[in-house]
Amino acid sequence: MARKSFEKLNYLLRPSKQVERKLLIEALHYLSQTAYPIYGYTYVGFGSIYYADFLLFHKYLYLNKMMCVEHGKIPNRMRFNKPFKFIKLKMKPISEVIPQLSRKTKYLVWLDYDDPLTAGMLADIDGFSKMLAPGSILIVTVDAEPDHLLEGEEGEENRTEEEAAKFLDDTFGHLVVEDITQADLTKNDLPQLLSRVLRSQLNKSLASRSDVEFHQLFNFIYADGAQMITIGGVIDDGAATEKFERSGVLDLEYISRGEDLVRITVPPLTIREKQWIDSNLAKHLSAKKKLNIDDTLLANYIRFYKYYPTYYETLL
Amino acid sequence: MPETDNIIFTEPSKTFFIDMLTRDITATQSILDLVDNSIHSIITETDIDVMQSLLGKVSVKKVDASISILLSKGKFQIEDNCGGISIKDAKTEVFRLGNPTVDKKHSGLGVYGIGMKRAVFKLGRDISVESHTSDEEFLVKIPVDEWERTKDWNLEFTYARKRTRKGGNGGTTIVVKDLYGPIGNLFSLASFQKQLIRKLGTAYALFLSTGLQVSVNNTPVKPLLPEFLRSKNLQPVRQFFKADGVDVLVLAGATPREDRQPRGWYIFCNGRMVVEADKTTLTGWGESLPQFHTKFNHFLGITYFRSSNLLSLPWTTTKDGVDRESAVYQQALARMGLLAKPILDFFNVMYAKDVAVEGKEQIDLIESARRVSVQSLARSTNKTWDARPRTPSEDRRVSICYQRSQKQVNRVKQSLGRPSMSNKAVGEYTFDYYVKKEG
């Protein structure tokens, strides 16, 4: 792996990521109200030493069956930082864990990869798709920063754009109808491409199962530094759509059932500005005059204002 | 006892035809069968012969025709403007189940006469075939459920008449709805569509190079022909010969480094691929040739069979594979083995155990060669494999690799006063020591 982001950046302080976690929690609460008893699911994720997802999902989704998978060579740090005793820690690559999981248990799986998409990740997705019980939820996050594709593996030299495009076409070309070219390597197009590749892999892997399909709910793009995309949904039979409708989850405005990416941005606003906007929320609120904030920034804020983290320093 | 009790019923059942024969092909093969029919119309209409063009015997004739394939969960459609089917042919030949063509003039693709029927029955249960030539048109509907229930094997035209507006290219449109579940699911996958596009691009590469346009869900199919390496000191194989009256062209050699696909043997009949990237005993690996191995990934062999007597070609009814017992194929296979052996020996040397040093001259030869197209190689004269790597100079470096006990190695390090010396350095030092002492 090229870089460990927890070494470079305090995990807990990634604001867009934090918004994403909260959106997922809210959506999963909605699903829990009808046909998907999420509170009883087992969570499988990559903790890193901060275990951020585990903390949040235990406290706000009430999950208490959890498994953390970590393939880095840091067993002591992982064990030391494990926040709850019930978290099972597996210090192995996820590909070795998948065959050991139960085919009857409903899992909430979040493959939150730090790095650009690789064939190995697709193999993990394929592995999960083949064994997850109906009702399980699978979420995948990958790096979608074009510049990172130009970095060679450790010890190798950097790639040119042409080489990067060829690498993508050789590795993922079989999953998308058009050939992958240099034109796909832009900040706007790469996330779309990766989202299509992931979706295509999920559909392909589940095609061999007659009982279930992939019912997408999440298709996010965000950038705390490097651009990332997340695709996620429920693995279930055809009745899923009707269950979604009954639960009200489809009314949430950040749900995406198709190719549209939902962009999560956290506009830079001070606490005072946020509080003013919150207390003046109205249909055509414009803060241009009062605060010099342009309307796009404002619209972005209003979209996700409920979910923004607020950071304070405390004396410990 | 009445006489009728002596009779045994042996009539084939429709259910047998629909359910059993369709098991022998895949959805992809069905689609290729339908494309074969369209291309066969072009061949009979325009007299093109892609093999003769490949050999340089006739100039490449340009074709202005298109085949459009639409796939989705609920519907399959193939539409072409390749000439259309006359009412007479529809009445007496095209819909008959098993009607080997008697056409001996063209090196065509419509050989067993079951292609279209088996293909559409494979896909679904609501079939319609519409076709028009320059002055006629007809429509035939096959609602499979109803047809299966009746006793007789006949079909009916919904209409069959002279066209009011005459002229233009003839064409045919086949639509299948009520697709079988797994087939519909397969068609909706982006990965299947891509796989089909690549298969069409490889199977029909020679036809696509004539100007024929094929598209899948409006994405054009590009011809995919691999390339060989050639230089002054590296000559790929080109051999043309006849086997029992069938023309055979064998091309073989090495593919460029950038070609990441593991190759092997490809076999074409009348320009249409029937075997793709084969690494099995079908094309001699493990029998007349060594077992296929990753070091042979850059071996590419293409065998083209051509004949206007379609039944003498070694294809199978699914056109996916070859009839191993065919005398023509056996003869060609023997030659293919002989021609390929020297190429495999070259790769064996190139990827010998000590790659860093041995095989270097072979690698240099490969890296300095240029890419050459199949067409260009096919037009040259007969040649066998000829690779002339530089002779390694005596002074080149070779590597020595051996194991000794850790205790002994440590004692040597101690005795040299360099306990942190690397094992590699120990080997080099002791070798140099001997050479100096013993001269």
Side-chain angles (χ1 to χ4, degrees):
Chain A
M1 291 293 153
R3 322 145 316 281
K4 295 263 185 285
S5 67
F6 74 79
E7 280 166 3
K8 286 192 178 169
L9 174 64
N10 183 341
Y11 237 63
L12 290 173
L13 218 43
R14 291 160 72 188
S16 306
K17 182 91 193 159
Q18 192 64 358
V19 171
E20 181 188 54
R21 292 188 186 109
K22 290 187 187 176
L23 297 179
L24 289 174
I25 289 175
E26 181 181 50
L28 292 173
H29 271 301
Y30 270 75
L31 287 181
S32 241
Q33 281 166 23
T34 51
Y36 300 105
I38 310 271
Y39 312 138
Y41 283 27
T42 303
Y43 178 64
V44 176
F46 305 139
S48 99
I49 54 175
Y50 292 97
Y51 289 92
D53 303 334
F54 289 80
L55 287 163
L56 224 46
F57 289 165
H58 173 60
K59 290 189 180 172
Y60 300 111
L61 269 184
Y62 327 124
L63 301 178
N64 51 28
K65 287 178 283 189
M66 304 182 124
M67 178 187 291
C68 177
V69 180
E70 173 60 50
H71 68 275
K73 299 198 179 11
I74 44 165
N76 291 338
R77 276 192 102 178
M78 290 302 292
R79 271 186 225 117
F80 183 85
N81 286 295
K82 191 158 73 88
F84 307 118
K85 195 165 168 137
F86 56 77
I87 299 178
K88 291 201 177 88
L89 177 61
K90 302 261 182 190
M91 300 295 305
K92 333 175 159 167
I94 185 95
S95 52
E96 285 180 33
V97 173
I98 298 172
Q100 297 170 343
L101 297 174
S102 154
R103 281 166 179 264
K104 299 214 183 82
T105 307
K106 295 195 192 180
Y107 289 99
L108 167 61
V109 181
W110 190 351
L111 301 174
D112 195 353
Y113 297 107
D114 262 347
D115 294 306
L117 186 61
T118 64
M121 293 174 192
L122 292 183
D124 295 340
I125 293 171
D126 185 61
F128 271 110
S129 301
K130 298 264 158 70
M131 54 64 63
L132 283 173
S136 295
I137 298 172
L138 180 56
I139 306 171
V140 183
T141 298
V142 297
D143 179 309
E145 189 61 54
D147 284 343
H148 290 168
L149 283 172
L150 301 176
E151 283 167 26
E153 308 280 313
E154 277 182 42
E156 286 180 22
E157 41 180 75
N158 291 349
R159 296 182 184 126
T160 61
E161 277 201 12
E162 208 186 320
E163 287 166 347
K166 183 159 196 311
F167 163 75
L168 286 180
D169 196 47
D170 285 343
T171 323
F172 311 122
H174 63 287
L175 291 168
V176 288
V177 179
E178 292 85 20
D179 291 336
I180 301 176
T181 64
Q182 277 176 255
D184 292 304
L185 290 180
T186 65
K187 250 183 135 79
N188 280 333
D189 291 309
L190 183 63
Q192 290 280 5
L193 171 68
L194 293 175
S195 176
R196 280 185 11 240
V197 167
L198 288 170
R199 195 174 305 110
S200 178
Q201 179 66 58
L202 284 158
N203 288 332
K204 177 169 188 251
S205 300
L206 287 169
S208 56
R209 290 175 70 171
S210 54
D211 53 334
V212 292
E213 296 162 14
F214 179 68
H215 298 274
Q216 183 185 295
L217 288 171
F218 312 115
N219 196 15
F220 296 127
I221 175 173
Y222 57 94
D224 291 316
Q227 198 165 246
M228 309 287 280
I229 55 145
T230 295
I231 178 166
V234 183
I235 292 178
D236 201 4
D237 60 28
T241 311
E242 194 251 335
K243 291 181 199 171
F244 290 168
E245 274 161 16
R246 271 193 296 129
S247 71
V249 78
L250 298 180
D251 295 330
L252 294 168
E253 68 113 14
Y254 50 83
I255 298 295
S256 169
R257 310 262 6 239
E259 299 216 342
D260 293 324
L261 284 166
V262 173
R263 186 173 285 275
I264 300 174
T265 53
V266 180
L269 297 169
T270 67
I271 295 175
R272 282 225 243 262
E273 287 165 341
K274 288 182 195 166
Q275 285 173 341
W276 182 88
I277 297 170
D278 286 350
S279 60
N280 285 289
L281 272 180
K283 233 188 181 144
H284 297 293
L285 179 65
S286 175
K288 260 203 280 244
K289 289 235 176 87
K290 184 156 180 90
L291 301 174
N292 299 130
I293 295 173
D294 80 42
D295 288 336
T296 320
L297 190 67
L298 184 61
N300 281 338
Y301 174 76
I302 292 175
R303 199 172 184 199
F304 294 123
Y305 76 95
K306 280 186 286 186
Y307 313 96
Y308 290 139
T310 310
Y311 298 111
Y312 291 100
E313 185 178 355
T314 61
L315 286 173
L316 276 176
Chain B
M1 223 177 289
E3 273 176 356
T4 47
D5 274 355
N6 283 338
I7 314 270
I8 302 169
F9 293 103
T10 60
E11 268 175 15
S13 78
K14 288 181 183 177
T15 313
F16 164 77
F17 186 80
I18 296 171
D19 290 342
M20 299 300 174
L21 281 189
T22 53
R23 276 174 211 238
D24 292 337
I25 46 164
T26 62
T28 304
Q29 287 161 350
S30 307
I31 298 174
L32 263 63
D33 264 344
L34 296 174
V35 173
D36 282 345
N37 286 347
S38 305
I39 292 183
H40 190 75
S41 300
I42 301 177
I43 294 174
T44 48
E45 291 270 313
T46 62
D47 281 337
I48 56 160
D49 188 330
V50 288
M51 279 308 302
Q52 299 292 57
S53 306
L54 185 64
L55 291 165
K57 294 197 178 152
V58 301
S59 58
V60 179
K61 219 191 240 192
K62 281 295 173 189
V63 158
D64 182 19
S66 67
I67 303 173
S68 157
I69 298 170
L70 297 175
L71 312 165
S72 64
K73 196 160 183 164
K75 179 172 136 174
F76 168 84
Q77 176 176 305
I78 178 168
E79 181 179 342
D80 74 51
N81 61 358
C82 301
I85 304 167
S86 70
I87 293 181
K88 174 164 165 295
D89 283 346
K91 251 177 128 46
T92 58
E93 294 197 9
V94 166
F95 289 94
R96 282 187 65 172
L97 303 164
N99 185 27
T101 187
V102 189
D103 178 2
K104 282 200 168 13
K105 213 176 66 135
H106 300 102
S107 314
L109 304 182
V111 56
Y112 291 111
I114 50 174
M116 170 168 71
K117 281 78 69 181
R118 184 168 54 183
V120 296
F121 279 127
K122 172 79 183 178
L123 301 177
R125 299 185 71 88
D126 177 358
I127 302 162
S128 91
V129 179
E130 180 274 325
S131 189
H132 54 277
T133 60
S134 54
D135 58 348
E136 289 183 331
E137 60 187 8
F138 72 81
L139 171 66
V140 174
K141 288 203 198 181
I142 313 178
V144 177
D145 291 336
E146 285 173 40
W147 184 75
E148 210 176 353
R149 282 196 291 265
T150 65
K151 270 211 91 124
D152 78 77
W153 289 67
N154 293 333
L155 297 169
E156 266 182 34
F157 287 114
T158 307
Y159 60 77
R161 58 198 182 210
K162 293 265 176 236
R163 287 173 68 184
T164 42
R165 253 183 342 159
K166 298 197 202 292
N169 292 353
T172 305
T173 304
I174 299 176
V175 178
V176 184
K177 296 197 195 146
D178 197 10
L179 299 175
Y180 291 106
I183 305 260
N185 287 341
L186 197 60
F187 286 176
S188 65
L189 294 179
S191 46
F192 175 78
Q193 292 170 33
K194 184 58 171 275
Q195 192 185 36
L196 179 64
I197 290 174
R198 285 182 171 167
K199 185 96 183 185
L200 291 169
T202 320
Y204 299 108
L206 293 178
F207 295 100
L208 290 166
S209 310
T210 63
L212 169 67
Q213 290 177 324
V214 179
S215 67
V216 174
N217 286 358
N218 299 314
T219 303
V221 174
K222 291 185 293 226
L224 291 173
L225 272 175
E227 288 174 309
F228 290 96
L229 285 175
R230 180 170 65 185
S231 74
K232 200 166 50 109
N233 292 319
L234 187 68
Q235 175 58 54
V237 171
R238 186 266 188 199
Q239 289 287 315
F240 177 82
F241 54 92
K242 286 197 191 270
D244 284 358
V246 172
D247 291 343
V248 187
L249 172 68
V250 177
L251 306 176
T255 57
R257 290 279 229 182
E258 305 84 54
D259 183 347
R260 299 289 187 82
Q261 266 190 282
R263 296 289 180 182
W265 281 107
Y266 291 71
I267 301 184
F268 286 75
C269 286
N270 281 356
R272 196 270 213 202
M273 181 178 77
V274 294
V275 168
E276 181 175 15
D278 190 77
K279 307 168 183 63
T280 72
T281 52
L282 180 67
T283 51
W285 301 98
E287 290 176 356
S288 55
L289 295 175
Q291 197 75 257
F292 193 87
H293 186 278
T294 48
K295 61 185 165 185
F296 300 140
N297 277 352
H298 283 279
F299 168 85
L300 170 63
I302 312 181
T303 304
Y304 293 98
F305 291 97
R306 176 201 167 274
S307 174
S308 44
N309 178 0
L310 304 183
L311 291 173
S312 63
L313 292 168
W315 39 18
T316 60
T317 67
T318 55
K319 294 202 207 121
D320 192 27
V322 281
D323 175 11
R324 276 189 228 217
E325 274 73 54
S326 140
V328 166
Y329 184 66
Q330 287 296 320
Q331 289 180 47
L333 190 59
R335 293 277 280 247
M336 282 155 61
L338 286 172
L339 293 164
K341 265 282 187 34
I343 308 176
L344 301 180
D345 289 341
F346 178 88
F347 282 119
N348 272 330
V349 176
M350 191 167 142
Y351 292 113
K353 276 193 174 230
D354 196 0
V355 184
V357 184
E358 294 172 35
K360 192 175 176 314
E361 290 74 29
Q362 280 75 9
I363 294 174
D364 286 343
L365 198 56
I366 292 274
E367 308 238 303
S368 58
R370 275 168 305 117
R371 305 157 81 121
V372 66
S373 70
V374 162
Q375 288 91 339
S376 175
L377 184 59
R379 282 206 196 112
S380 65
T381 54
N382 279 358
K383 294 184 172 51
T384 52
W385 175 258
D386 190 17
R388 295 192 221 144
R390 281 186 347 257
T391 34
S393 67
E394 266 203 9
D395 203 30
R396 67 163 182 166
R397 306 205 131 207
V398 295
S399 122
I400 305 171
C401 185
Y402 55 89
Q403 293 181 349
R404 284 292 179 275
S405 95
Q406 177 85 79
K407 209 161 122 182
Q408 283 188 328
V409 173
N410 287 343
R411 273 174 45 206
V412 172
K413 292 182 188 174
Q414 292 294 348
S415 116
L416 288 173
R418 288 167 58 184
S420 57
M421 195 181 197
S422 73
N423 294 342
K424 175 171 178 279
V426 169
E428 286 168 354
Y429 186 94
T430 51
F431 180 89
D432 291 341
Y433 180 90
Y434 178 86
V435 169
K436 204 161 80 175
K437 287 282 169 176
E438 305 290 323

